[in-house]
Amino acid sequence: MVERVTERTDGVTAERVTETGGGTVVVERGGGSGVGLIVGLVLLIAVVIGAVYLFNQNNRENAKTNAVTQAAKDVGGAAKDVGDAAQDAAKKVQ
């Protein structure tokens, strides 16, 4: 009985053909179906969306901090003005 085996691959799909002398041909094919690539793309998209969300969240926190800081400065300035006005009024009364 004569057996001949031929193997080919293109980097993605591997094919093995076994021919026996009796006229029987067995073809075995194996290779990726692309599911790994799709899963990788979905994970990449999820990571990008998460990064954008966290970046925007950080920008919102910075905006809140800056608003509170500015409000505190404004209150401090107003308190100084009131204190100066009170001193001026006290001097006029004396």
Side-chain angles (χ1 to χ4, degrees), residues 25-51:
V25 176
V26 178
V27 178
E28 298 174 13
R29 288 190 177 140
S33 62
V35 174
L37 180 63
I38 292 171
V39 170
L41 288 174
V42 169
L43 287 175
L44 179 63
I45 290 169
V47 167
V48 168
I49 290 171

Side-chain angles (χ1 to χ4, degrees), residues 8-78:
R8 291 180 282 193
T9 183
D10 63 359
V12 176
T13 303
E15 181 178 81
R16 178 181 172 144
V17 178
T18 305
E19 297 179 46
T20 58
T24 304
V25 176
V26 178
V27 178
E28 298 174 13
R29 288 190 177 140
S33 62
V35 174
L37 180 63
I38 292 171
V39 170
L41 288 174
V42 169
L43 287 175
L44 179 63
I45 290 169
V47 167
V48 168
I49 290 171
V52 168
Y53 173 77
L54 290 176
F55 183 73
N56 286 336
Q57 185 77 7
N58 190 29
N59 285 344
R60 279 188 237 125
E61 288 296 323
N62 287 341
K64 286 180 190 176
T65 301
N66 291 341
V68 169
T69 301
Q70 187 60 44
K73 287 179 182 178
D74 292 345
V75 168

